[in-house]
Amino acid sequence: APLVTPDQLPLVTSSRWIVDKHGHRVKWSCVNWAGADQKDGVPGGLQHNDAGAIAHLIAQWGFNCVRIPWSVWLARTNPVVSDNALLAANPALIGRKALSILDDVVSVCTREHLMVILDNHMSDGEWCCSEQDSNGLWHNKRWSEAAWVESHIEIATRYRNEQYVVAVELRNELRGTSFNGSLVQPTWGSGDRITDWRAAALRASAAILQARPFGLLIVVDGLAYSTNLRDVAHSPIELAVPNRLVYSAHDY
């Protein structure tokens, strides 16, 4: 898909389409640059190649956007990355904190005119995904809903001046999870404070759009590993700011 130019941004939605500010359709053709969501908090590949070179390759291969997963743990703790081997090809990043390294990765992507989607993949900094990882909801015993929302606000406002950071994904692949010793399933519109994903998405999106009202789309995943959006038909998401909603369905 073609790269978007600065004069096309910000993006909005119109009916079922993502469009640029002139009303022309924009199709995301993305790669997933994983790693910041995992236990070291470092986007993958930085031990092998310069971050800017990786971003350049992504654009050269015909992609126009990058989805960058992150965890609540990363946003709330922002640890110094202690394993220098993970940054071997990027010596300027050695000794820095995880969010500073994320800043650099976002920056090199935007420099290549790659749109960036910042995806809250996990609560804990761990590999995703299973029903045994205690990360199937948007909260767990270690990280509350409040911490999740605060993390989103931190990420959204951190990149408010990065024009090419075009979207945040509220949570990746809602699924069954162990909660207080029992397996629970996320729900859509049930009214249950623990499991109602639709209600949580509305609360989080309202806080994010209040903190950053311009230039950001809100991506909402479905249930069952993002394969189920059937309840949207009778209980859709209505954001506080119109023309910003993108539903995400995963196809395996």
Side-chain angles (χ1 to χ4, degrees):
L3 297 170
V4 301
T5 58
D7 69 326
Q8 290 179 266
L9 299 172
L11 304 179
V12 293
T13 58
S14 177
S15 183
R16 62 176 292 190
W17 308 115
I18 298 169
V19 299
D20 66 18
K21 71 178 184 183
H22 308 295
H24 301 133
R25 186 185 175 194
V26 172
K27 188 173 182 179
W28 285 341
S29 178
C30 306
V31 299
N32 215 50
W33 194 340
D37 54 314
Q38 298 181 23
K39 65 178 183 178
D40 298 300
V42 178
L46 300 184
Q47 71 273 48
H48 299 299
N49 205 347
D50 174 76
I54 295 173
H56 183 71
L57 282 172
I58 292 169
Q60 197 173 47
W61 290 335
F63 297 98
N64 68 3
C65 78
V66 178
R67 179 179 181 254
I68 301 178
W70 56 274
S71 71
V72 174
W73 168 81
L74 173 76
R76 303 314 295 160
T77 65
N78 192 21
V80 173
V81 174
S82 58
D83 188 350
N84 293 344
L86 296 172
L87 302 167
N90 292 265
L93 301 182
I94 290 174
R96 283 164 56 175
K97 291 187 174 183
L99 284 175
S100 176
I101 295 168
L102 183 62
D103 292 344
D104 194 78
V105 168
V106 169
S107 180
V108 297
C109 290
T110 63
R111 195 158 63 234
E112 294 289 336
H113 288 184
L114 291 164
M115 294 174 284
V116 174
I117 303 167
L118 291 164
D119 153 51
N120 175 232
H121 218 65
M122 297 280 282
S123 295
D124 301 308
E126 293 290 348
W127 178 86
C128 175
C129 302
S130 78
E131 292 190 347
Q132 287 73 50
D133 61 17
S134 300
N135 280 259
L137 301 176
W138 58 98
H139 59 94
N140 61 24
K141 288 193 293 186
R142 292 167 294 284
W143 302 104
S144 65
E145 177 179 311
W148 170 67
V149 173
E150 289 162 7
S151 298
H152 265 297
I153 292 171
E154 160 69 19
I155 293 295
T157 56
R158 188 177 189 91
Y159 301 111
R160 57 158 52 102
N161 296 321
E162 291 280 12
Q163 186 182 22
Y164 277 85
V165 175
V166 297
V168 293
E169 187 169 348
L170 295 184
R171 187 70 170 197
N172 176 70
E173 298 199 346
L174 282 298
R175 57 196 180 276
T177 193
S178 176
F179 190 85
N180 289 338
S182 301
L183 181 67
V184 298
Q185 297 290 337
T187 58
W188 188 281
S190 68
D192 187 324
R193 184 84 185 194
I194 293 172
T195 66
D196 188 346
W197 169 233
R198 178 183 179 274
L202 287 169
R203 290 190 293 270
S205 61
I208 293 165
L209 290 170
Q210 183 176 26
R212 185 179 162 178
F214 303 106
L216 206 60
L217 298 178
I218 303 292
V219 181
V220 179
D221 285 41
L223 307 180
Y225 291 87
S226 303
T227 64
N228 178 1
L229 281 163
R230 64 172 61 95
D231 291 324
V232 169
H234 58 80
S235 297
I237 296 283
E238 295 182 6
L239 298 181
V241 179
N243 304 319
R244 299 292 185 84
L245 175 65
V246 177
Y247 290 113
S248 174
H250 292 186
D251 182 16
Y252 293 98

